[in-house]
Amino acid sequence: MKAVLSVLLVFFLGFVANDALAQISDVNSAINKAGRQRMLSQRMAKAYFQIGQQIEVERSKRVMDASIAAFDRQLVELKNYAPTPEIKDTYLKLEKSWLAYKDLLLGAAPSPQNGRKVLAISEEVLALAQQGTVQLEKRSGSLAGQLVNVSGRQRMLSQRIAKFYQAGAWGVADDKSAANLDKARKEFTEAQQDLLASQANTAQIKDALDLVKQQWFFFDSALGQRTLADKRAQTAVATTSERILEEMEGVVGLYEKLSK
């Protein structure tokens, strides 16, 4: 099983890296990558907390390295693509916050003191990445653009949920973390129902959403476990959050293709 998961992870990380290298061809592609920046902001914090707790250390380091590289490349693309001065300004602000975030992630070995700073700045980076995604969706004005945004936000929520769980397990959560975790779980469930009900769904999209539903069952079950000294619960959250993210990546890609 571990060998299979390792193969899946390598495939997924390669998928993200290769997709990030491709130039932005249209507004839906821009929405996808803008939305992926939201997800990466949360995924990097999750990986940081896992490394700090010695959870899946080598895999978490690979997740961190691949996420940082993808965020860097996509930020350059999004700045270059920005179709309006307002959107350009959003990505210039995001760049400033990103540089501070990256310094925290790479400047020293993970520590609880810096972990609290990582938690705070991951929220700042997320807010700006969300702003850019919404601006691009409005620019699109299409159903496909809306679906790419909503499904792309599900990727972010999968990592946001895991981030807050791992922050709590490590003892670096703030006074809003538990409520934010619960809110994110609720938002994921509600948005998934909205996606399932979309009249734009093809048979392939419906099948992909069914796979997400299966993975959500395992992820949600892992979240219900108490954090344990032997770290089994934290490890389960680490692995299941990656599986559901992989499935959601496929869904977003299918929605992106609707208008092509």
Side-chain angles (χ1 to χ4, degrees):
M1 178 62 73
K2 288 185 177 180
V4 173
L5 288 177
S6 295
V7 170
L8 287 174
L9 182 66
V10 169
F11 171 81
F12 173 60
L13 294 180
F15 169 79
V16 171
N18 291 335
D19 187 63
L21 281 170
Q23 292 298 309
I24 294 173
S25 56
D26 55 52
V27 69
N28 285 342
S29 173
I31 295 168
N32 187 0
K33 293 190 177 185
R36 189 179 290 124
Q37 298 295 75
R38 295 180 299 198
M39 177 274 289
L40 292 171
S41 74
Q42 306 300 285
R43 192 177 187 226
M44 288 181 280
K46 178 195 76 171
Y48 183 96
F49 299 151
Q50 289 170 182
I51 295 167
Q53 295 177 85
Q54 297 295 296
I55 302 294
E56 299 278 301
V57 175
E58 291 306 315
R59 186 177 297 173
S60 295
K61 286 180 178 178
R62 291 195 295 271
V63 165
M64 176 76 80
D65 291 344
S67 297
I68 288 172
F71 197 102
D72 269 330
R73 287 192 295 267
Q74 291 180 155
L75 183 55
V76 171
E77 286 190 49
L78 288 161
K79 283 196 305 177
N80 291 339
Y81 176 82
T84 68
E86 292 77 15
I87 295 174
K88 182 83 166 184
D89 183 62
T90 295
Y91 284 105
L92 291 174
K93 290 177 180 176
L94 178 57
E95 182 178 41
K96 183 177 179 180
S97 291
W98 165 237
L99 291 175
Y101 190 16
K102 187 163 64 168
D103 282 347
L104 269 177
L105 294 171
L106 298 176
S111 66
Q113 180 180 1
N114 279 343
R116 296 180 182 91
K117 296 177 183 178
V118 165
L119 182 65
I121 200 168
S122 71
E123 293 292 284
E124 178 182 315
V125 172
L126 172 61
L128 287 166
Q130 166 70 4
Q131 179 175 309
T133 310
V134 170
Q135 287 172 323
L136 287 164
E137 186 202 328
K138 289 180 179 177
R139 180 82 177 177
S140 165
S142 69
L143 176 60
Q146 178 186 358
L147 291 168
V148 170
N149 181 20
V150 173
S151 59
R153 190 168 183 271
Q154 295 292 79
R155 294 178 300 196
M156 179 277 289
L157 289 172
S158 74
Q159 301 306 291
R160 183 169 176 77
I161 291 165
K163 177 189 82 169
F164 285 125
Y165 182 95
Q166 301 292 17
W170 200 22
V172 300
D174 60 23
D175 58 357
K176 298 179 181 178
S177 292
N180 280 332
L181 192 160
D182 290 341
K183 180 182 177 184
R185 288 173 80 171
K186 181 180 179 182
E187 288 177 348
F188 187 97
T189 302
E190 291 175 349
Q192 207 64 17
Q193 291 301 317
D194 290 342
L195 291 173
L196 284 165
S198 174
Q199 296 299 310
N201 289 346
T202 62
Q204 190 176 12
I205 290 173
K206 290 176 182 177
D207 289 343
L209 288 171
D210 283 341
L211 289 174
V212 172
K213 183 178 180 180
Q214 294 172 27
Q215 291 302 327
W216 173 252
F217 173 81
F218 294 115
F219 184 37
D220 199 46
S221 296
L223 292 167
Q225 299 179 38
R226 295 180 60 187
T227 55
L228 303 170
D230 64 8
K231 301 177 183 178
R232 283 178 296 172
Q234 293 93 311
T235 300
V237 169
T239 56
T240 54
S241 65
E242 287 297 304
R243 290 178 205 155
I244 196 166
L245 172 59
E246 182 182 351
E247 296 295 347
M248 280 309 310
E249 275 284 357
V251 171
V252 181
L254 291 172
Y255 279 127
E256 183 187 335
K257 293 175 182 177
L258 283 179
S259 63
K260 296 181 180 180

